[in-house]
Amino acid sequence: MLSIIDAFLKWDNDTSQKNLFLPICFFLVITAFCVFHFLNPPETKLFSDDAFSYINFDPTRTVGYPAFLSIVKWITGGYESIPLIQLIILGLCSYLAALAFSRFTNSFLLGFILIACLFSLREIMKFCFEIFTESLAVSFLLLFSVSCMSFIKTKSNKALFGMGLLIGITILIRPSSYAILGAIFSLFVFYRKFWTKILTFFLPPLLGCLLIGVISNYSFHGYFSTQSFLGHNLYGKVALTVKENMKSEDSLEDKMIKRMAKVMMPVQKILEPIESWRLYYVLAAPIYDKLRYPILHKFKIELQKEMKFLGDLDAFYKRVSLQVIKQNPLDYAKDVMINYGALWFLGDLKTESERIELVELINKVKLTHEFQEMDMDYASYKFRPKPDVLVYGVRLFLYTAFALSLFFIIWAGCFLMAGSRLEDLLAYGFFCAVCIHVSYLSIAMVQAGLPRYAMAMWPYMFMMVLSSIGLIFKKVELCK
């Protein structure tokens, strides 16, 4: 038995280093997957509800994805080719990531499994067929991971420059990627003797990308910022935190808070008795959008005389939201943790018994006067039954991944305190773990924990789990 394991590990290691077989094999496999998905597209619409805000360079959007759409239209004359182009870009970035990961872990098998995981997950493939930022963001995050592995392995200036450039571009595509900067600098702590190189080669391309975003938004919309949607998101986020006794010294902010509380307090009382965080999350998530869109529109009409003098509406929404959070930090923290859990453990994924309970609960609350006033009928929620074995299987994977993420962070922390050198696989597993945590936490702080937002980090989750398997392979080899 041991001889079989030894032979397999040797073959796996040797195959990962082959200059011809490995790239050709991965290229053919990814090409086959891309062709299959293109010929069997998911049931989705190319033009999502948010599509035209990207196409029209809306001030609420960062410039990266609208610029990509404009280039595609300029080259092809329309947007019909977007699915094919996004699928090709994802395929190429996945190919480079799998190739780099296989050589980084010295394992052909782990690189192959990474490809299978990425292209077997229908939710990730679905991004390619929609005008949404997720597909391009996932592609550039995969490309960024290549530079990260290169830096861990070589500490080269080229890798640092690539990291700065790629994360800068990713931020311009999807501003939630700002959170990744926290993970990057956490990794750099372990390589602090290279701080001079980091400042010299990582920061300039990053700051250059952000400067492009700032200049673009000033040119298009007249403000110096890479995005202007944080306040609007936060405004919706405090829907279940605002209370009637809250106030602000600013008269207009105070009026807005009082109107928010008048609408939201009755809704909060209906949701309070729900004990299951999974059920609470599904009922609460759409309410954020109700507050920041139709209800906010109504408030703007009521307060139009006062609000017309506001130069920066997003900044106003942010001030109002921060007033609410400051006066009720515990409920806000609870709301953040519920959505953080929904991102990690897919709050929308339900067993059959949970699905039946959810349907009954929705049918009950949507008949209340308060929910009918908001036109909250949950019609967009998909009540598709899933086999319990599938639900528990996915949850087991997610619980395992969560435990592994803590393991990588704690283990790396022990190395840091001991002043020991961090081995490459542990460093990369640590980086992936921190990326997932900071991304999910930043999203949960300003938005609902929707599966669409969670899936963008699943490639890093796969690589983190596979890195742990790579560590096991390495320990087995050392024990021979």
Side-chain angles (χ1 to χ4, degrees):
M1 183 67 180
L2 288 175
S3 62
I4 295 174
I5 294 174
D6 289 346
F8 166 75
L9 290 176
K10 185 177 185 308
W11 171 83
D12 188 46
N13 188 312
D14 292 345
T15 307
S16 71
Q17 303 306 318
K18 290 183 178 178
N19 292 327
L20 193 60
F21 172 79
L22 187 72
I24 291 176
C25 177
F26 282 2
F27 180 80
L28 291 176
V29 171
I30 288 176
T31 300
F33 270 119
C34 287
V35 170
F36 171 81
H37 284 294
F38 184 72
L39 296 177
N40 299 274
E43 295 180 6
T44 187
K45 298 183 299 181
L46 174 61
F47 290 90
S48 63
D49 293 338
D50 294 335
F52 291 101
S53 64
Y54 295 113
I55 291 170
N56 297 325
F57 282 82
D58 194 285
T60 61
R61 303 300 180 187
T62 46
V63 72
Y65 195 63
F68 165 74
L69 295 176
S70 293
I71 292 170
V72 171
K73 185 181 180 182
W74 177 64
I75 294 173
T76 67
Y79 302 104
E80 292 75 16
S81 59
I82 288 288
L84 177 60
I85 292 172
Q86 292 188 153
L87 187 60
I88 290 172
I89 291 173
L90 180 62
L92 288 172
C93 293
S94 299
Y95 169 74
L96 294 173
L99 201 61
F101 186 73
S102 189
R103 287 177 172 158
F104 184 76
T105 58
N106 295 319
S107 172
F108 165 78
L109 179 64
L110 295 182
F112 189 87
I113 292 174
L114 176 61
I115 293 171
C117 289
L118 288 172
F119 285 89
S120 299
L121 197 61
R122 197 71 167 171
E123 289 300 317
I124 289 181
M125 292 300 105
K126 192 171 76 170
F127 295 154
C128 297
F129 295 85
E130 301 173 303
I131 294 182
F132 264 136
T133 59
E134 273 75 3
S135 176
L136 210 58
V138 168
S139 297
F140 272 88
L141 284 172
L142 284 168
L143 209 54
F144 169 73
S145 73
V146 177
S147 291
C148 182
M149 284 183 271
S150 178
F151 168 73
I152 291 172
K153 202 86 172 175
T154 66
K155 321 298 184 297
S156 71
N157 299 338
K158 182 180 177 182
L160 279 169
F161 185 88
M163 288 177 70
L165 178 64
L166 290 167
I167 196 60
I169 293 172
T170 307
I171 288 171
L172 293 183
I173 293 169
R174 194 166 179 255
S176 61
S177 297
Y178 269 116
I180 303 293
L181 291 175
I184 294 171
F185 285 104
S186 296
L187 177 66
F188 285 160
V189 168
F190 293 92
Y191 303 96
R192 50 195 178 278
K193 67 179 180 180
F194 299 103
W195 273 121
T196 302
K197 287 176 62 173
I198 290 168
L199 293 174
T200 304
F201 293 97
F202 173 77
L203 284 181
L206 168 64
L207 296 176
C209 288
L210 299 184
L211 183 61
I212 289 172
V214 168
I215 292 173
S216 299
N217 276 332
Y218 183 76
S219 174
F220 283 124
H221 312 298
Y223 62 85
F224 285 101
S225 175
T226 57
Q227 61 86 34
S228 65
F229 215 41
L230 176 62
H232 194 266
N233 280 333
L234 270 178
Y235 181 86
K237 185 65 178 173
V238 298
L240 303 175
T241 305
V242 64
K243 303 296 179 185
E244 57 190 3
N245 61 344
M246 292 180 176
K247 55 187 178 181
S248 172
E249 293 181 0
D250 182 272
S251 61
L252 183 54
E253 291 176 16
D254 193 64
K255 288 179 181 178
M256 183 65 84
I257 291 171
K258 292 291 189 292
R259 280 166 168 76
M260 292 165 67
K262 184 178 179 181
V263 175
M264 288 295 121
M265 283 291 292
V267 173
Q268 293 174 22
K269 289 177 181 176
I270 293 172
L271 297 183
E272 277 175 7
I274 302 173
E275 295 181 358
S276 167
W277 73 266
R278 290 183 180 276
L279 297 178
Y280 181 91
Y281 152 76
V282 173
L283 290 170
I287 293 174
Y288 308 136
D289 281 350
K290 282 293 181 181
L291 177 61
R292 67 190 181 121
Y293 286 114
I295 296 175
L296 177 59
H297 180 69
K298 178 184 175 183
F299 292 165
K300 286 165 72 174
I301 293 173
E302 294 174 355
L303 300 171
Q304 59 180 322
K305 289 183 179 179
E306 295 98 322
M307 293 185 70
K308 71 179 181 180
F309 296 107
L310 293 171
D312 187 345
L313 279 176
D314 195 72
F316 172 70
Y317 301 144
K318 184 161 59 176
R319 291 196 301 271
V320 170
S321 306
L322 292 177
Q323 284 288 351
V324 173
I325 293 170
K326 187 166 61 176
Q327 295 177 59
N328 191 7
L330 290 180
D331 279 355
Y332 172 71
K334 177 184 174 183
D335 185 89
V336 169
M337 294 313 297
I338 287 172
N339 286 278
Y340 177 68
L343 288 163
W344 258 110
F345 309 118
L346 293 186
D348 289 60
L349 191 65
K350 299 284 184 288
T351 62
E352 183 60 17
S353 61
E354 289 170 342
R355 188 186 70 85
I356 292 171
E357 185 179 0
L358 176 62
V359 171
E360 291 175 351
L361 193 55
I362 286 178
N363 288 335
K364 178 180 177 181
V365 301
K366 74 180 185 181
L367 294 177
T368 61
H369 173 72
E370 292 80 3
F371 277 70
Q372 288 183 344
E373 280 284 300
M374 289 197 307
D375 193 27
M376 180 64 72
D377 59 3
Y378 297 94
S380 61
Y381 191 83
K382 306 291 190 300
F383 296 105
R384 295 171 182 165
K386 294 179 177 62
D388 282 3
V389 65
L390 173 64
V391 174
Y392 286 122
V394 173
R395 286 181 182 174
L396 177 62
F397 168 74
L398 293 173
Y399 292 142
T400 302
F402 183 78
L404 276 174
S405 73
L406 298 180
F407 164 77
F408 273 113
I409 292 170
I410 293 170
W411 194 8
C414 292
F415 271 76
L416 181 64
M417 288 187 290
S420 304
R421 178 187 173 277
L422 205 61
E423 58 182 295
D424 292 348
L425 268 175
L426 177 56
Y428 188 68
F430 165 81
F431 173 72
C432 289
V434 177
C435 274
I436 300 166
H437 280 286
V438 296
S439 295
Y440 285 176
L441 187 60
S442 66
I443 291 169
M445 290 174 69
V446 297
Q447 293 179 344
L450 303 178
R452 178 164 65 89
Y453 302 144
M455 288 296 155
M457 275 291 111
W458 272 47
Y460 276 51
M461 197 178 297
F462 293 144
M463 287 189 282
M464 178 189 69
V465 173
L466 293 173
S467 293
S468 68
I469 297 173
L471 282 169
I472 294 172
F473 284 180
K474 189 174 180 180
K475 297 299 180 187
V476 171
E477 288 180 344
L478 291 173
C479 291
K480 289 191 294 184

